[in-house]
Amino acid sequence: MDTQPLYDLAPIARLMLLGVVLALGPMAWVWLRSRQAEPAQRLRLLTLVTLFLTFDLVLFGAFTRLTDSGLGCPDWPGCYGSASPIGASASIAAAQEAMPTGPVTFPKAWIEMIHRYLATAVGVLILVLAITSTLARRQLPMSLWWPWVTLIWVCVQGAFGALTVTMKLFPAIVTLHLLGGLGLLALLRAQSVAYAHALPGAPGPVDVPSGLRWALLAVFALLWLQVALGGWVSTNYAVLACRDFPMCQGSWWPVMDFREGFTLWRELGQGRSGDSIPFAALTAIHYVHRLAAYVVLAALVWLAWRLWTYAGLRAQARGVLLFAAWQLLTGLSNVVLEWPLLAAVAHTGGAAALVVLLTGLLSGTRSESRSAVRSNPAMLHATR
């Protein structure tokens, strides 16, 4: 009988040490590239490197989930009390022999642990960002809010990573873990823009009409809703509930069970009563995500058209159109090609890229009315 505890903190020091070792490479590169630079420029470069590695971490997290490797090591933070699958080889071999196609195999254990190693390294980099920003605060004309909130966020994200394992891939927890990873990308992107604006002689945010700012906010909110719906599809393994397009199961409105499908607090594969979740519930999960995709795609195209009217934002408009098309193609590939691994990971990557792009737009623009008031405070009194 397996008595392995879900939480075993014995290997945590070795994992943290490994995270520090992995983070030393990016930190050394940043220091060599910017040792003569201003603090804001150095911190911006470190933030961009951390953003890039976090993006990779999100993709590898999707790969971990899609290869069913989330329980490759069924305890946390180590693997059967060891810092790597090497030390846990006997336990993994026994689990694999008992269930050859089960959740614990050597490849799955390595995938899960590599994901944890990368997450630890990203956490170390974010800790360095927070400490370095605090030490250089006298030379940074900006708030320290971003780096410390980002550090708190990555700690919460680590806790959700632990719950993902210990709660046996509970769909709500796994979905929140995915959203947390994308939220971390948004925080790092906003932080990088703040550092860019803090550089000596750097231009400030682009002034745009307040209507465009509201449009950005509305599309950004729609994007997060769609990401949550997509995460719910993936974590409930509902991608293949509809194998045809544009219809589903040969119908424009298939049989769906919305109540069971969107009962959030339940175990994987189970309904509200604890029985197996009905197929109609999986259909509802899939089809709602598909219907919402039409709305979000239309909103992204409309936003790109609005952005195109401003010469300084045309590159961003092209980016919005590019990633909207990417999401459409990868989403269709998941359905008609029956959920190939490459297309599924690419679909997550497209969602992450859109989050980064829209966060950069929101952080790099401001309403013209706010800009006018800041430059001429007398206008504030004139409007009262």
Side-chain angles (χ1 to χ4, degrees), residues 23-50 53 125 128-129 132:
L24 283 176
M27 287 190 291
W29 182 82
V30 169
W31 182 83
L32 289 172
R33 287 290 302 269
S34 59
R35 58 185 181 276
Q36 303 297 330
E38 296 287 333
Q41 187 173 349
R42 188 182 306 115
L43 286 167
R44 178 174 180 268
L45 182 58
L46 181 57
T47 303
L48 289 173
V49 169
T50 307
L53 294 175
L125 290 172
V128 170
L129 271 171
T132 308

Side-chain angles (χ1 to χ4, degrees), residues 69-94:
S69 301
L71 298 179
C73 291
D75 54 325
W76 188 91
C79 190
Y80 288 98
S82 298
S84 80
I86 296 174
S89 58
S91 298
I92 296 172

Side-chain angles (χ1 to χ4, degrees), residues 65-380:
R65 182 177 69 256
L66 294 165
T67 55
D68 294 322
S69 301
L71 298 179
C73 291
D75 54 325
W76 188 91
C79 190
Y80 288 98
S82 298
S84 80
I86 296 174
S89 58
S91 298
I92 296 172
Q96 187 170 345
E97 183 179 357
M99 193 180 297
T101 59
V104 179
T105 65
F106 279 102
K108 291 179 180 180
W110 274 112
I111 291 171
E112 171 65 10
M113 289 308 298
I114 290 172
H115 179 58
R116 296 183 196 180
Y117 299 152
L118 292 174
T120 306
V122 166
V124 170
L125 290 172
I126 291 173
L127 175 62
V128 170
L129 271 171
I131 294 173
T132 308
S133 300
T134 302
L135 293 176
R137 64 187 181 277
R138 297 181 184 274
Q139 299 169 275
L140 295 174
M142 56 176 285
S143 170
L144 295 177
W145 187 88
W146 289 117
W148 285 102
V149 168
T150 306
L151 179 61
I152 294 170
W153 190 280
V154 79
C155 292
V156 174
Q157 179 69 353
F160 272 103
L163 290 174
T164 295
V165 176
T166 58
M167 294 185 69
K168 307 299 182 185
L169 305 183
F170 202 86
I173 297 297
V174 179
T175 302
L176 286 172
H177 190 50
L178 170 64
L179 290 173
L182 298 182
L184 187 59
L185 286 175
L187 284 168
L188 287 167
R189 179 57 181 148
Q191 192 174 328
S192 71
V193 173
Y195 285 130
H197 291 160
L199 293 174
V206 177
D207 294 326
V208 297
S210 58
L212 180 56
R213 283 283 297 175
W214 281 110
L216 276 168
L217 287 168
V219 175
F220 196 55
L222 278 176
L223 176 63
W224 278 104
L225 175 61
Q226 180 66 350
V227 168
L229 289 172
W232 194 240
V233 171
S234 180
T235 56
N236 282 280
Y237 297 89
V239 175
L240 299 182
C242 297
R243 295 172 182 253
D244 49 340
F245 182 86
M247 293 191 292
C248 175
Q249 301 169 16
S251 171
W252 290 108
W253 194 258
V255 176
M256 291 180 280
D257 188 337
F258 295 99
R259 187 178 182 186
E260 288 282 359
F262 291 94
T263 296
L264 301 183
W265 201 254
R266 55 176 173 74
E267 294 187 15
L268 178 63
Q270 295 186 5
R272 291 178 299 114
S273 61
D275 298 329
S276 296
I277 188 169
F279 188 71
L282 299 178
T283 303
I285 293 170
H286 178 112
Y287 208 56
V288 167
H289 177 59
R290 185 184 293 190
L291 294 176
Y294 301 143
V295 177
V296 175
L297 281 170
L300 288 170
V301 172
W302 171 73
L303 176 63
W305 171 73
R306 291 289 307 271
L307 293 171
W308 190 262
T309 59
Y310 298 89
L313 298 176
R314 287 186 176 176
Q316 290 88 334
R318 285 191 289 267
V320 170
L321 286 177
L322 172 65
F323 288 117
W326 178 271
Q327 287 304 88
L328 175 61
L329 292 174
T330 55
L332 283 175
S333 297
N334 282 329
V335 174
V336 301
L337 299 179
E338 298 193 349
W339 207 18
L341 179 61
L342 181 61
V345 174
H347 198 57
T348 300
L354 279 169
V355 167
V356 172
L357 179 58
L358 292 188
T359 302
L361 274 166
L362 281 169
S363 303
T365 58
R366 65 184 175 190
S367 174
E368 286 176 342
S369 58
R370 289 182 60 189
S371 176
V373 168
R374 287 182 179 180
S375 60
N376 185 11
M379 291 181 61
L380 179 63

